[in-house]
Amino acid sequence: MPGLFTRLLFSLKGGLPATSRYEAKRAMLVKKFEKYNALKQTPNLIRYQELAAQVATPRSQSGLPKKEWKMMRQEFVGLRRSSDVADFFKLQKTSHNFHAITDWELKFEDDFNGKELNAQKWLSRNYAGDAGIDTGYSPANENHVYANKNVGISNQMLKIATKHERATGLGFSDVLGFVPVERNFTSGIVNTGESYQMQYGKVEARIRFTQSGKGMYHAMWLGAGKKLPHINAVRIGDKVEFSAFAADTLADNGIRQHDCIWPRNILRQNTYYIVSVEWSAETIVWRINGVTMLSAQNIVKEPMYLAFSSGVTGAPGTNAHATFEVDWVKAYQRHEQSLAV
């Protein structure tokens, strides 16, 4: 659980900002950035910048007649008061905020506007990496089987359904390896294991969910084709988890981890949230609607793929069901050198 001070501060701030408010704030930043760049090209600003160097030179050193120098000075002052130049300098005072745009290069995205899942981007089964497994499997200690029919596109959104129905499939056990399983639920998974992997960067997605039974969960995560390493951008179940796990021979159980567990009520069902995880060589930062939920030293060094999945860890009942929806997802890598603003 987060510390008492963190929880108190979170509560005093009213919890998470509304997603619409966060999106409006980001849209305004983009609008200001576009206007800032457009103003750079205006004749008034170009002329103002040409005159700035000349005006900075004392008249006695400029070689200009007094009258000509005075007229140039008056033009310079007049341009400084023009709306183009005034707006440019007003925006320049907050141009440090533009690094949220200029520091990142978009590398992968999907808005799920097609009629079906894009098979060039997404694999609708667990990615086994070097194991070379070409059939679906689920964790042997969980109570579901992944089924392709539970994953689809509807109303321009990726939807993963979890249903109460008997099914057989393949499970993976740390002790026994791949074993046949029979489970009480079906669910779904998608990932970019075969199409896109990243080593450091930022991933964000607009998601919403429903779930009607204890032990059901939804997760947005990064994996490497094996159990470890693993980063949960968010895992929504009976609690809300933000975490990272990596193998470490020096740790007591061979696993080094960072995690922060928040109460389930910080997120509401049928409500959109923008979840992001920013991952650098030094740190991992988890955010929802721009609010930092956890920040920790990076323990994951391997390239990772992106995944969304749902599942069942308990026995939530015969009427239990859940849906996980993704409106869009984007992955970025940081520019080696930020664009100047």
Side-chain angles (χ1 to χ4, degrees), residues 6 10 13 15-18 22 242 262 274-276 285-294:
T6 301
F10 185 80
K13 289 184 176 181
L16 293 169
Y22 176 61
F242 308 91
W262 286 78
I274 296 178
V275 176
S276 72
V285 181
W286 293 256
R287 296 186 178 94
I288 294 186
N289 289 359
V291 176
T292 299
M293 310 304 292
L294 174 64

Side-chain angles (χ1 to χ4, degrees), residues 290-331:
V291 176
T292 299
M293 310 304 292
L294 174 64
S295 180
Q297 179 186 9
N298 178 35
I299 57 175
V300 178
K301 309 299 182 182
E302 295 90 334
M304 308 275 274
Y305 60 85
L306 168 66
F308 298 95
S309 65
S310 297
V312 181
T313 58
T318 58
N319 293 323
H321 62 273
T323 58
F324 188 25
E325 300 179 347
V326 184
D327 188 17
W328 53 257
V329 59
K330 298 178 182 180

Side-chain angles (χ1 to χ4, degrees), residues 208-212 218 264 269-270 321-325:
R208 69 179 178 183
F209 67 96
T210 67
Q211 56 195 55
S212 65
H218 309 290
R264 169 67 179 73
Q269 297 191 56
N270 292 308
H321 62 273
T323 58
F324 188 25
E325 300 179 347

